[in-house]
Amino acid sequence: MKVYKFGGASISTIERIKSTAGIIADHSGDKLLLVVSAMGKTTNALEKVVDAFFDGRQEDALLLFEQVKEAHLNTLKYLTVLRWKETEDQLKDFFTEIEWLLHDKPVRSYDYYYDQVVCCGEMFSSTILSNYLEENKLKVKWLDVRDIIRTDNNFRDAGVDMAFTQKNIREHVAPLFEEYDIVVTQGFVGATDENESTTLGREGSDYSAAIFANLMPAESVTIWKDVEAVMNADPRQFPEAVNIPALSYHEVIEMAYYGAQVIHPKTIKPLQNAQIPLFVKSFLNPELAGTVIDKKGVKNLPPVVVVKANQVLIQFKSKDFSFVEDKPIEQLHHIFRNVKFKPNLTQNTAISLLCCFDDHAEKTDRLALDASLLFDVELEKNLTLLTIRHYDDATVTSLTKDKTIVLEQRTPTTIQLLMR
Ligand code: ASP
Ligand code: MG
């Protein structure tokens, strides 16, 4: 049994849904569990619905939701004939659920409403794909992931209860494969013990696929993307970027940690723990080999480059020349946690701590304000954080040309440069 994860781009248009279905049909000799994301940019569109609702702009919220509905109904119309009516009814049940909520006034947290609304993107896309596959004579079962993946109620970044989820998978998912070749479910989404929807963090569908793979267990996971393979840099920034045919779990977890947009960072642990290989393949060119990620990996990797723009460097200086030691550092980390802000890079001096963060204006202001009660705080914005794994002098020189380096950190494998 294999897990295939299809991201939003692979099902963003009618043509792409058709070719994705072709990839699935070609492999239906294997038992497949399909984990799907929301279509195209649906998640972003649903975020706008939640924002409007939570701001008290109810009409806007309903109007924005109407657009999401229309887009899905339109797609459905071009994909199904025999199963069109039934699928439309299924979608309409989901629509009604959300519209009920949008007609209320917000009384709970933003994050709670976010999850109740945003999760429906995956419900819609999986419903359409599943019915389209069925219309094309595949033996498919649609599964509501909220009956399977159990989480805590940390909305928008929910933690998965692996033991409970495993029990659900044993009892409710594994047996489905006796009757069906393909099970279609949703990425990114789970539910609490009170049946409230939760989400696992943006781009969390990769992680969902890894959870299913670990708990089934699956033979392999394939993430179908719009790139040929994992590359050593973002080809939009670096046209000379190259494909990497094989990587170790360790390398990928490091790349994701430093901000490479390859795979959701939480994905690797469940796969590594169960020694399940992960393939990254192109849905545009399924015949290409892509990248395999497993425990072996390869030696002699090219320099792997990750660039994070829009960084802010914050310097926390002790007010009285006392050393910045355990206690003040603990106080600062407490503030970071409160603001939900994690530094990308930190460095100590005797009386100050330097931290670099992704600059989210609101969080930066709150952090600076809270910390200013304890420290003198200085900020510098508009910086770029460059990370190079397996660096060499030539790469470092060429990527730092014309830049001023404000902070540097290096280990034998990784160099990080914060630049102005
Ligand atoms: N649809 C969600 C997002 O766009 C989850 C995912 O695609 O993995 O973040
Ligand atoms: Mg995605």
Side-chain angles (χ1 to χ4, degrees):
M1 179 266 163
K2 294 178 176 165
V3 174
Y4 277 8
K5 182 258 170 173
F6 287 100
S10 68
I11 47 173
S12 59
T13 62
I14 291 153
E15 283 320 307
R16 285 192 172 180
I17 294 176
K18 286 183 178 170
S19 60
T20 287
I23 293 175
I24 296 163
D26 278 349
H27 290 80
S28 61
D30 297 306
K31 299 278 179 185
L32 294 178
L33 180 91
L34 308 182
V35 173
V36 301
S37 300
M39 281 167 52
K41 301 274 176 242
T42 304
T43 304
N44 295 354
L46 291 168
E47 284 182 339
K48 296 212 171 75
V49 175
V50 187
D51 289 350
F53 168 74
F54 203 72
D55 279 359
R57 292 179 284 116
Q58 193 180 57
E59 266 177 40
D60 287 351
L62 287 163
L63 199 72
L64 289 163
F65 187 60
E66 201 59 38
Q67 294 167 2
V68 175
K69 283 166 53 178
E70 286 303 312
H72 285 84
L73 289 174
N74 259 325
T75 305
L76 177 67
K77 207 164 61 196
Y78 289 101
L79 287 170
T80 49
V81 179
L82 299 174
R83 299 198 55 74
W84 171 69
K85 185 76 193 93
E86 197 172 331
T87 316
E88 194 186 58
D89 289 345
Q90 291 166 6
L91 290 178
K92 284 185 172 164
D93 284 345
F94 291 126
F95 297 162
T96 310
E97 235 176 87
I98 304 297
E99 279 163 345
W100 269 68
L101 182 149
L102 296 178
H103 277 102
D104 270 343
K105 292 233 163 354
V107 288
R108 295 185 60 174
S109 72
Y110 175 86
D111 290 354
Y112 165 79
Y113 288 109
Y114 181 100
D115 284 2
Q116 309 320 302
V117 173
V118 167
C119 74
C120 74
E122 273 68 11
M123 297 297 148
F124 301 164
S125 63
S126 61
T127 299
I128 293 175
L129 180 66
S130 169
N131 280 285
Y132 180 65
L133 295 173
E134 196 170 339
E135 175 133 340
N136 284 283
K137 311 264 176 312
L138 294 172
K139 288 189 81 183
V140 190
K141 175 77 182 162
W142 181 89
L143 183 72
D144 190 330
V145 78
R146 294 173 297 187
D147 296 330
I148 307 299
I149 294 196
R150 168 66 63 83
T151 71
D152 59 23
N153 62 0
N154 186 19
F155 296 106
R156 285 184 79 184
D157 188 23
V160 175
D161 177 341
M162 289 293 269
F164 202 89
T165 302
Q166 170 143 52
K167 186 168 169 289
N168 282 341
I169 286 183
R170 284 225 181 98
E171 287 172 9
H172 306 298
V173 185
L176 293 176
F177 285 105
E178 286 162 23
E179 194 178 334
Y180 299 95
D181 296 330
I182 298 170
V183 173
V184 182
T185 196
Q186 305 81 35
F188 177 56
V189 175
T192 67
D193 56 358
E194 291 178 52
N195 264 323
E196 293 171 327
S197 304
T198 53
T199 64
L200 310 178
R202 285 303 306 261
E203 303 300 328
S205 297
D206 295 350
Y207 178 42
S208 307
I211 292 169
F212 274 106
N214 174 294
L215 298 177
M216 285 294 294
E219 215 173 288
S220 65
V221 175
T222 307
I223 295 184
W224 295 90
K225 292 176 75 86
D226 55 1
V227 291
E228 288 179 4
V230 176
M231 303 181 87
N232 73 324
D234 183 342
R236 286 164 300 189
Q237 292 169 339
F238 301 97
E240 66 282 14
V242 294
N243 293 346
I244 309 179
L247 284 165
S248 65
Y249 296 122
H250 181 201
E251 185 60 35
V252 173
I253 214 165
E254 295 285 352
M255 286 168 73
Y257 172 80
Y258 289 115
Q261 308 278 323
V262 264
I263 287 155
H264 190 277
K266 285 190 190 162
T267 310
I268 295 300
K269 181 173 182 280
L271 298 179
Q272 187 278 337
N273 289 174
Q275 295 292 315
I276 296 167
L278 169 62
F279 299 96
V280 175
K281 283 176 66 87
S282 163
F283 62 78
L284 299 168
N285 291 299
E287 64 291 345
L288 296 179
T291 299
V292 54
I293 298 158
D294 58 17
K295 67 168 188 283
K296 299 188 289 287
V298 282
K299 296 211 168 57
N300 301 322
L301 284 173
V304 173
V305 178
V306 183
V307 178
K308 282 188 149 212
N310 197 25
Q311 301 291 297
V312 56
L313 176 66
I314 311 189
Q315 175 159 197
F316 307 95
K317 250 196 227 157
S318 72
K319 289 188 189 249
D320 60 358
F321 267 63
S322 61
F323 289 133
V324 175
E325 288 175 323
D326 293 359
K327 185 151 172 279
I329 289 189
E330 181 41 44
Q331 288 171 320
L332 270 176
H333 280 281
H334 183 75
I335 298 175
F336 297 170
R337 276 195 298 277
N338 275 344
V339 190
K340 289 196 177 171
F341 225 12
K342 263 197 215 123
N344 295 325
L345 188 68
T346 62
Q347 197 154 305
N348 256 92
T349 76
I351 59 160
S352 71
L353 182 70
L354 293 153
C355 298
C356 157
F357 300 89
D358 295 333
D359 186 12
H360 299 293
E362 205 180 295
K363 287 187 183 182
T364 307
D365 291 349
R366 225 188 103 195
L367 174 60
L369 192 71
D370 289 359
S372 65
L373 301 172
L374 301 164
F375 299 87
D376 284 330
V377 179
E378 277 171 32
L379 338 183
E380 179 171 355
K381 292 189 171 227
N382 294 321
L383 301 171
T384 300
L385 178 62
L386 169 69
T387 304
I388 313 173
R389 287 184 54 76
H390 320 290
Y391 59 94
D392 54 35
D393 289 345
T395 311
V396 174
T397 312
S398 87
L399 295 180
T400 55
K401 196 171 65 210
D402 310 324
K403 306 277 189 216
T404 310
I405 293 166
V406 291
L407 200 65
E408 172 174 337
Q409 236 169 55
R410 65 169 92 197
T411 69
T413 44
T414 307
I415 186 166
Q416 290 198 281
L417 299 150
L418 187 62
M419 310 184 300
R420 188 185 289 143

PDB file of all heavy atoms in Angstrom, residues 5-8 36-40 42-44 47 114 118 122 187-188 201-206 264, ligand 1:
ATOM      1  N   LYS A   5       0.488  11.956  -2.055  1.00  0.00           N
ATOM      2  CA  LYS A   5      -0.027  13.250  -1.630  1.00  0.00           C
ATOM      3  C   LYS A   5      -0.079  14.188  -2.829  1.00  0.00           C
ATOM      4  O   LYS A   5       0.925  14.370  -3.524  1.00  0.00           O
ATOM      5  CB  LYS A   5       0.840  13.827  -0.516  1.00  0.00           C
ATOM      6  CG  LYS A   5       0.326  15.154   0.011  1.00  0.00           C
ATOM      7  CD  LYS A   5       1.115  16.296  -0.528  1.00  0.00           C
ATOM      8  CE  LYS A   5       0.510  17.645  -0.236  1.00  0.00           C
ATOM      9  NZ  LYS A   5       1.377  18.745  -0.624  1.00  0.00           N
ATOM     10  N   PHE A   6      -1.243  14.728  -3.088  1.00  0.00           N
ATOM     11  CA  PHE A   6      -1.402  15.685  -4.181  1.00  0.00           C
ATOM     12  C   PHE A   6      -1.632  17.077  -3.614  1.00  0.00           C
ATOM     13  O   PHE A   6      -2.614  17.320  -2.915  1.00  0.00           O
ATOM     14  CB  PHE A   6      -2.566  15.282  -5.089  1.00  0.00           C
ATOM     15  CG  PHE A   6      -2.245  14.084  -5.942  1.00  0.00           C
ATOM     16  CD1 PHE A   6      -2.696  12.826  -5.596  1.00  0.00           C
ATOM     17  CD2 PHE A   6      -1.445  14.225  -7.069  1.00  0.00           C
ATOM     18  CE1 PHE A   6      -2.366  11.713  -6.368  1.00  0.00           C
ATOM     19  CE2 PHE A   6      -1.111  13.122  -7.850  1.00  0.00           C
ATOM     20  CZ  PHE A   6      -1.572  11.861  -7.497  1.00  0.00           C
ATOM     21  N   GLY A   7      -0.722  17.986  -3.899  1.00  0.00           N
ATOM     22  CA  GLY A   7      -0.824  19.366  -3.424  1.00  0.00           C
ATOM     23  C   GLY A   7      -1.818  20.164  -4.258  1.00  0.00           C
ATOM     24  O   GLY A   7      -2.294  19.703  -5.303  1.00  0.00           O
ATOM     25  N   GLY A   8      -2.093  21.374  -3.782  1.00  0.00           N
ATOM     26  CA  GLY A   8      -3.086  22.233  -4.424  1.00  0.00           C
ATOM     27  C   GLY A   8      -2.831  22.464  -5.907  1.00  0.00           C
ATOM     28  O   GLY A   8      -3.771  22.511  -6.706  1.00  0.00           O
ATOM     29  N   VAL A  36      -5.105  14.626  -0.137  1.00  0.00           N
ATOM     30  CA  VAL A  36      -5.150  15.783  -1.037  1.00  0.00           C
ATOM     31  C   VAL A  36      -5.279  17.102  -0.287  1.00  0.00           C
ATOM     32  O   VAL A  36      -5.879  17.182   0.781  1.00  0.00           O
ATOM     33  CB  VAL A  36      -6.273  15.670  -2.105  1.00  0.00           C
ATOM     34  CG1 VAL A  36      -6.095  14.426  -2.957  1.00  0.00           C
ATOM     35  CG2 VAL A  36      -7.638  15.685  -1.483  1.00  0.00           C
ATOM     36  N   SER A  37      -4.697  18.123  -0.900  1.00  0.00           N
ATOM     37  CA  SER A  37      -4.813  19.505  -0.410  1.00  0.00           C
ATOM     38  C   SER A  37      -6.040  20.155  -1.043  1.00  0.00           C
ATOM     39  O   SER A  37      -6.684  19.576  -1.904  1.00  0.00           O
ATOM     40  CB  SER A  37      -3.612  20.335  -0.844  1.00  0.00           C
ATOM     41  OG  SER A  37      -2.423  19.821  -0.365  1.00  0.00           O
ATOM     42  N   ALA A  38      -6.263  21.393  -0.636  1.00  0.00           N
ATOM     43  CA  ALA A  38      -7.317  22.181  -1.266  1.00  0.00           C
ATOM     44  C   ALA A  38      -6.867  22.573  -2.675  1.00  0.00           C
ATOM     45  O   ALA A  38      -5.674  22.679  -2.951  1.00  0.00           O
ATOM     46  CB  ALA A  38      -7.582  23.422  -0.429  1.00  0.00           C
ATOM     47  N   MET A  39      -7.836  22.794  -3.569  1.00  0.00           N
ATOM     48  CA  MET A  39      -7.514  23.143  -4.957  1.00  0.00           C
ATOM     49  C   MET A  39      -6.839  24.514  -5.050  1.00  0.00           C
ATOM     50  O   MET A  39      -7.333  25.491  -4.487  1.00  0.00           O
ATOM     51  CB  MET A  39      -8.805  23.219  -5.787  1.00  0.00           C
ATOM     52  CG  MET A  39      -9.360  21.871  -6.217  1.00  0.00           C
ATOM     53  SD  MET A  39     -11.051  22.037  -6.834  1.00  0.00           S
ATOM     54  CE  MET A  39     -10.845  23.347  -8.037  1.00  0.00           C
ATOM     55  N   GLY A  40      -5.730  24.563  -5.782  1.00  0.00           N
ATOM     56  CA  GLY A  40      -5.074  25.843  -6.094  1.00  0.00           C
ATOM     57  C   GLY A  40      -4.906  26.720  -4.859  1.00  0.00           C
ATOM     58  O   GLY A  40      -4.327  26.292  -3.870  1.00  0.00           O
ATOM     59  N   THR A  42      -7.228  27.887  -2.867  1.00  0.00           N
ATOM     60  CA  THR A  42      -8.455  27.903  -2.061  1.00  0.00           C
ATOM     61  C   THR A  42      -8.207  28.254  -0.598  1.00  0.00           C
ATOM     62  O   THR A  42      -8.983  28.996   0.009  1.00  0.00           O
ATOM     63  CB  THR A  42      -9.147  26.522  -2.144  1.00  0.00           C
ATOM     64  OG1 THR A  42      -9.385  26.215  -3.515  1.00  0.00           O
ATOM     65  CG2 THR A  42     -10.448  26.510  -1.389  1.00  0.00           C
ATOM     66  N   THR A  43      -7.114  27.725  -0.033  1.00  0.00           N
ATOM     67  CA  THR A  43      -6.862  27.987   1.391  1.00  0.00           C
ATOM     68  C   THR A  43      -6.711  29.492   1.637  1.00  0.00           C
ATOM     69  O   THR A  43      -7.259  30.023   2.610  1.00  0.00           O
ATOM     70  CB  THR A  43      -5.616  27.207   1.868  1.00  0.00           C
ATOM     71  OG1 THR A  43      -5.836  25.832   1.580  1.00  0.00           O
ATOM     72  CG2 THR A  43      -5.369  27.380   3.353  1.00  0.00           C
ATOM     73  N   ASN A  44      -5.995  30.170   0.743  1.00  0.00           N
ATOM     74  CA  ASN A  44      -5.851  31.629   0.888  1.00  0.00           C
ATOM     75  C   ASN A  44      -7.210  32.320   0.805  1.00  0.00           C
ATOM     76  O   ASN A  44      -7.498  33.250   1.555  1.00  0.00           O
ATOM     77  CB  ASN A  44      -4.939  32.209  -0.195  1.00  0.00           C
ATOM     78  CG  ASN A  44      -3.511  31.700  -0.054  1.00  0.00           C
ATOM     79  OD1 ASN A  44      -3.184  31.005   0.900  1.00  0.00           O
ATOM     80  ND2 ASN A  44      -2.660  32.040  -1.002  1.00  0.00           N
ATOM     81  N   GLU A  47      -9.073  31.853   3.949  1.00  0.00           N
ATOM     82  CA  GLU A  47      -8.522  32.700   5.033  1.00  0.00           C
ATOM     83  C   GLU A  47      -9.188  34.074   4.998  1.00  0.00           C
ATOM     84  O   GLU A  47      -9.478  34.665   6.031  1.00  0.00           O
ATOM     85  CB  GLU A  47      -6.999  32.849   4.888  1.00  0.00           C
ATOM     86  CG  GLU A  47      -6.236  31.602   5.319  1.00  0.00           C
ATOM     87  CD  GLU A  47      -4.720  31.754   5.228  1.00  0.00           C
ATOM     88  OE1 GLU A  47      -4.240  32.639   4.482  1.00  0.00           O
ATOM     89  OE2 GLU A  47      -4.011  30.966   5.912  1.00  0.00           O
ATOM     90  N   TYR A 114     -10.979  29.858  12.225  1.00  0.00           N
ATOM     91  CA  TYR A 114     -10.086  29.584  11.096  1.00  0.00           C
ATOM     92  C   TYR A 114     -10.181  28.100  10.723  1.00  0.00           C
ATOM     93  O   TYR A 114     -10.426  27.736   9.573  1.00  0.00           O
ATOM     94  CB  TYR A 114      -8.653  29.949  11.495  1.00  0.00           C
ATOM     95  CG  TYR A 114      -7.618  29.744  10.412  1.00  0.00           C
ATOM     96  CD1 TYR A 114      -7.156  30.816   9.660  1.00  0.00           C
ATOM     97  CD2 TYR A 114      -7.097  28.464  10.145  1.00  0.00           C
ATOM     98  CE1 TYR A 114      -6.201  30.628   8.677  1.00  0.00           C
ATOM     99  CE2 TYR A 114      -6.149  28.267   9.161  1.00  0.00           C
ATOM    100  CZ  TYR A 114      -5.700  29.355   8.427  1.00  0.00           C
ATOM    101  OH  TYR A 114      -4.760  29.156   7.448  1.00  0.00           O
ATOM    102  N   VAL A 118     -11.527  26.945   7.215  1.00  0.00           N
ATOM    103  CA  VAL A 118     -10.470  26.668   6.240  1.00  0.00           C
ATOM    104  C   VAL A 118     -10.385  25.179   5.883  1.00  0.00           C
ATOM    105  O   VAL A 118     -10.066  24.822   4.746  1.00  0.00           O
ATOM    106  CB  VAL A 118      -9.125  27.225   6.761  1.00  0.00           C
ATOM    107  CG1 VAL A 118      -7.960  26.690   5.966  1.00  0.00           C
ATOM    108  CG2 VAL A 118      -9.131  28.755   6.661  1.00  0.00           C
ATOM    109  N   GLU A 122     -10.190  21.334   1.755  1.00  0.00           N
ATOM    110  CA  GLU A 122      -9.778  19.941   1.527  1.00  0.00           C
ATOM    111  C   GLU A 122     -10.997  19.029   1.390  1.00  0.00           C
ATOM    112  O   GLU A 122     -10.966  18.036   0.655  1.00  0.00           O
ATOM    113  CB  GLU A 122      -8.887  19.465   2.683  1.00  0.00           C
ATOM    114  CG  GLU A 122      -7.396  19.746   2.550  1.00  0.00           C
ATOM    115  CD  GLU A 122      -6.969  21.204   2.610  1.00  0.00           C
ATOM    116  OE1 GLU A 122      -7.786  22.061   2.967  1.00  0.00           O
ATOM    117  OE2 GLU A 122      -5.802  21.490   2.289  1.00  0.00           O
ATOM    118  N   GLY A 187      -5.634  16.113   3.445  1.00  0.00           N
ATOM    119  CA  GLY A 187      -4.459  16.508   4.201  1.00  0.00           C
ATOM    120  C   GLY A 187      -4.796  17.680   5.100  1.00  0.00           C
ATOM    121  O   GLY A 187      -5.900  18.237   5.017  1.00  0.00           O
ATOM    122  N   PHE A 188      -3.865  18.030   6.014  1.00  0.00           N
ATOM    123  CA  PHE A 188      -3.918  19.325   6.714  1.00  0.00           C
ATOM    124  C   PHE A 188      -4.953  19.395   7.843  1.00  0.00           C
ATOM    125  O   PHE A 188      -4.898  20.264   8.683  1.00  0.00           O
ATOM    126  CB  PHE A 188      -4.176  20.401   5.645  1.00  0.00           C
ATOM    127  CG  PHE A 188      -4.357  21.821   6.050  1.00  0.00           C
ATOM    128  CD1 PHE A 188      -3.391  22.494   6.792  1.00  0.00           C
ATOM    129  CD2 PHE A 188      -5.484  22.532   5.637  1.00  0.00           C
ATOM    130  CE1 PHE A 188      -3.554  23.840   7.123  1.00  0.00           C
ATOM    131  CE2 PHE A 188      -5.660  23.877   5.952  1.00  0.00           C
ATOM    132  CZ  PHE A 188      -4.696  24.532   6.697  1.00  0.00           C
ATOM    133  N   GLY A 201      -1.364  23.376  10.497  1.00  0.00           N
ATOM    134  CA  GLY A 201      -0.384  24.394  10.060  1.00  0.00           C
ATOM    135  C   GLY A 201      -0.339  24.429   8.541  1.00  0.00           C
ATOM    136  O   GLY A 201      -0.466  23.386   7.889  1.00  0.00           O
ATOM    137  N   ARG A 202      -0.123  25.622   7.984  1.00  0.00           N
ATOM    138  CA  ARG A 202      -0.099  25.795   6.530  1.00  0.00           C
ATOM    139  C   ARG A 202       0.846  24.788   5.883  1.00  0.00           C
ATOM    140  O   ARG A 202       1.884  24.479   6.427  1.00  0.00           O
ATOM    141  CB  ARG A 202       0.326  27.229   6.143  1.00  0.00           C
ATOM    142  CG  ARG A 202      -0.739  28.307   6.343  1.00  0.00           C
ATOM    143  CD  ARG A 202      -2.036  28.057   5.591  1.00  0.00           C
ATOM    144  NE  ARG A 202      -1.916  27.840   4.165  1.00  0.00           N
ATOM    145  CZ  ARG A 202      -2.126  28.756   3.234  1.00  0.00           C
ATOM    146  NH1 ARG A 202      -2.448  29.975   3.569  1.00  0.00           N
ATOM    147  NH2 ARG A 202      -2.034  28.438   1.961  1.00  0.00           N
ATOM    148  N   GLU A 203       0.459  24.317   4.739  1.00  0.00           N
ATOM    149  CA  GLU A 203       1.225  23.315   3.980  1.00  0.00           C
ATOM    150  C   GLU A 203       1.300  21.976   4.721  1.00  0.00           C
ATOM    151  O   GLU A 203       2.178  21.157   4.468  1.00  0.00           O
ATOM    152  CB  GLU A 203       2.642  23.815   3.651  1.00  0.00           C
ATOM    153  CG  GLU A 203       2.683  25.116   2.869  1.00  0.00           C
ATOM    154  CD  GLU A 203       1.980  25.030   1.522  1.00  0.00           C
ATOM    155  OE1 GLU A 203       1.989  23.936   0.907  1.00  0.00           O
ATOM    156  OE2 GLU A 203       1.410  26.041   1.094  1.00  0.00           O
ATOM    157  N   GLY A 204       0.356  21.763   5.642  1.00  0.00           N
ATOM    158  CA  GLY A 204       0.427  20.591   6.509  1.00  0.00           C
ATOM    159  C   GLY A 204       0.039  19.265   5.866  1.00  0.00           C
ATOM    160  O   GLY A 204       0.128  18.221   6.514  1.00  0.00           O
ATOM    161  N   SER A 205      -0.371  19.281   4.610  1.00  0.00           N
ATOM    162  CA  SER A 205      -0.804  18.011   3.991  1.00  0.00           C
ATOM    163  C   SER A 205       0.330  16.999   3.849  1.00  0.00           C
ATOM    164  O   SER A 205       0.093  15.792   3.907  1.00  0.00           O
ATOM    165  CB  SER A 205      -1.410  18.258   2.609  1.00  0.00           C
ATOM    166  OG  SER A 205      -2.560  19.036   2.733  1.00  0.00           O
ATOM    167  N   ASP A 206       1.543  17.498   3.654  1.00  0.00           N
ATOM    168  CA  ASP A 206       2.690  16.577   3.581  1.00  0.00           C
ATOM    169  C   ASP A 206       2.778  15.783   4.887  1.00  0.00           C
ATOM    170  O   ASP A 206       3.013  14.574   4.888  1.00  0.00           O
ATOM    171  CB  ASP A 206       4.018  17.345   3.438  1.00  0.00           C
ATOM    172  CG  ASP A 206       4.141  18.107   2.138  1.00  0.00           C
ATOM    173  OD1 ASP A 206       3.295  17.906   1.244  1.00  0.00           O
ATOM    174  OD2 ASP A 206       5.088  18.906   2.023  1.00  0.00           O
ATOM    175  N   HIS A 264       7.007  20.043   4.072  1.00  0.00           N
ATOM    176  CA  HIS A 264       6.667  20.541   5.405  1.00  0.00           C
ATOM    177  C   HIS A 264       7.611  19.918   6.438  1.00  0.00           C
ATOM    178  O   HIS A 264       7.823  18.708   6.442  1.00  0.00           O
ATOM    179  CB  HIS A 264       5.212  20.183   5.716  1.00  0.00           C
ATOM    180  CG  HIS A 264       4.703  20.840   6.950  1.00  0.00           C
ATOM    181  ND1 HIS A 264       4.945  20.312   8.194  1.00  0.00           N
ATOM    182  CD2 HIS A 264       4.005  21.975   7.145  1.00  0.00           C
ATOM    183  CE1 HIS A 264       4.395  21.111   9.105  1.00  0.00           C
ATOM    184  NE2 HIS A 264       3.818  22.118   8.488  1.00  0.00           N
TER     185      HIS A 264
HETATM  186  N1  ASP B   1      -4.241  23.595   1.825  1.00  0.00           N
HETATM  187  C1  ASP B   1      -3.306  23.859   2.892  1.00  0.00           C
HETATM  188  C2  ASP B   1      -2.408  25.034   2.551  1.00  0.00           C
HETATM  189  O1  ASP B   1      -2.500  25.568   1.461  1.00  0.00           O
HETATM  190  C3  ASP B   1      -2.496  22.662   3.254  1.00  0.00           C
HETATM  191  C4  ASP B   1      -1.579  22.145   2.177  1.00  0.00           C
HETATM  192  O2  ASP B   1      -1.705  22.510   1.013  1.00  0.00           O
HETATM  193  O3  ASP B   1      -0.720  21.345   2.499  1.00  0.00           O
HETATM  194  O4  ASP B   1      -1.624  25.438   3.374  1.00  0.00           O
END
